[in-house]
């Protein structure tokens, strides 16, 4: 079955620094979605990428979908304490979302 | 616009018992999915309901079953509870024409 892998599992970042988290699927995806889950909370939809090579930006967050539609990345610039949480990518095929294990981000002030 | 709501918030059950979890979808959404999220893991797809029928299922045994009602609300039923069923159960709704899902706050189930 479809598997979605994310690296790194943990990201410890100094406030103000940049970082990137990566997502890889074992199969080609119809689209990929990114979610953020704060500690004790539930996943919140951030963005969806559909087209091969698509790049979307949300303020300090840049999302990219690979040319082969099997990988994606999330790059955060000038990390802030509000960026703390777990970021999940999720690949959509047919009727279901397959989530990666997430990248948990902590920020050092 | 009302968001996705779930009840109860927390639940403690004993191994072998049965449990029913409830979900009200966001206004205008007709498709509901259920996920199990173990501690430190990503959500795992259980099944999806559309037009009151299950139209997709993940790798979960038949003792996980569900319902969707005409108002698009949904239930997740788990029979013969096992210790490994302890997890956060998330309901997510969407419009059938859109892919992005909107999650409820979840039900934390503990099986002892």
């Amino acid at each position: 079955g479809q598997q979605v892998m994310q690296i790194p599992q943990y990201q410890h970042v100094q406030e103000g620094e940049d970082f990137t988290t990566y997502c890889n699927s074992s199969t080609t995806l119809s689209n990929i979605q990114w979610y953020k889950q704060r500690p004790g909370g539930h996943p919140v939809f951030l963005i969806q990428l559909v087209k091969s090579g698509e790049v979307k930006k949300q303020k300090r967050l840049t999302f990219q979908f690979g040319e082969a539609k099997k990988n994606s990345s999330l790059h955060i610039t000038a990390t802030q304490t509000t960026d703390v949480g777990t970021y999940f990518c999720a690949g959509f095929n047919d009727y279901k979302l397959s989530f990666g294990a997430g990248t948990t981000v902590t920020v050092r002030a | 616009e009302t968001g996705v709501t779930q009840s109860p918030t927390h639940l403690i059950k004993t191994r072998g018992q049965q449990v029913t979890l409830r979900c009200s979808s966001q206004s205008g959404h007709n498709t509901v999915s259920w996920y199990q999220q173990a501690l430190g893991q990503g959500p795992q797809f259980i099944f999806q309901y559309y037009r009151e029928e299950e139209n997709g299922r993940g790798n979960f045994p038949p003792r996980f079953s569900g319902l969707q009602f005409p108002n698009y609300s949904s239930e997740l039923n788990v029979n013969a509870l096992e210790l490994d069923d302890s997890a956060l159960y998330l309901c997510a709704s969407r419009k059938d024409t859109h892919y992005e899902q909107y999650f409820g706050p979840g039900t934390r189930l503990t099986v002892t």
Side-chain angles (χ1 to χ4, degrees), chain B residues 18-21 47 62-67 75-79:
Chain B
Q18 177 266 342
V19 69
T20 297
L21 310 181
F47 43 54
R63 58 189 186 85
F64 286 79
S65 63
L67 286 172
E75 288 182 354
L76 165 65
N77 299 290
V78 187
N79 294 322

Side-chain angles (χ1 to χ4, degrees), chain A residues 47-71:
Chain A
I47 208 158
Q48 174 180 272
L49 303 170
V50 179
K51 298 177 182 176
S52 170
E54 188 171 14
V55 178
K56 287 187 176 180
K57 293 189 176 183
Q58 285 182 349
K59 299 182 180 178
R60 295 178 295 102
L61 279 60
T62 301
F63 303 83
Q64 186 166 5
F65 201 7
E67 293 292 338
K69 300 183 73 172
K70 295 179 70 174
N71 62 287

Side-chain angles (χ1 to χ4, degrees), chain B residues 93-106:
Chain B
S93 73
R94 64 181 177 95
K95 294 181 182 179
D96 63 302
T97 53
H98 292 69
Y99 297 127
E100 63 268 27
Q101 305 203 6
Y102 294 86
F103 283 83

Side-chain angles (χ1 to χ4, degrees), chain A residues 4 13 18 24 28-29 31 39 45 49 54 72 76 79 93 107:
Chain A
V4 176
V13 189
D18 303 351
N24 289 286
T28 302
L29 300 168
N31 66 70
F45 175 79
L49 303 170
E54 188 171 14
S72 181
I76 298 181
T79 303
N93 264 345
V107 179

Side-chain angles (χ1 to χ4, degrees), chain A:
Chain A
Q2 177 181 304
Q3 291 188 343
V4 176
M5 293 148 285
Q6 278 185 261
I7 55 169
Q9 184 177 1
Y10 298 99
Q11 184 79 53
H12 308 291
V13 189
Q14 180 71 42
E15 190 173 18
E17 289 185 342
D18 303 351
F19 74 91
T20 302
T21 176
Y22 299 91
C23 177
N24 289 286
S25 170
S26 58
T27 59
T28 302
L29 300 168
S30 298
N31 66 70
I32 196 153
Q33 300 174 27
W34 285 87
Y35 291 79
K36 178 181 179 181
Q37 186 171 23
R38 294 182 183 275
H42 59 276
V44 175
F45 175 79
L46 293 177
I47 208 158
Q48 174 180 272
L49 303 170
V50 179
K51 298 177 182 176
S52 170
E54 188 171 14
V55 178
K56 287 187 176 180
K57 293 189 176 183
Q58 285 182 349
K59 299 182 180 178
R60 295 178 295 102
L61 279 60
T62 301
F63 303 83
Q64 186 166 5
F65 201 7
E67 293 292 338
K69 300 183 73 172
K70 295 179 70 174
N71 62 287
S72 181
S73 64
L74 161 59
H75 181 77
I76 298 181
T77 58
T79 303
Q80 299 177 358
T81 54
T82 54
D83 295 325
V84 164
T86 301
Y87 293 83
F88 292 101
C89 66
F92 192 97
N93 264 345
D94 297 323
Y95 48 81
K96 72 173 189 177
L97 273 179
S98 297
F99 281 78
T103 293
T104 298
V105 176
T106 55
V107 179
R108 298 189 300 274

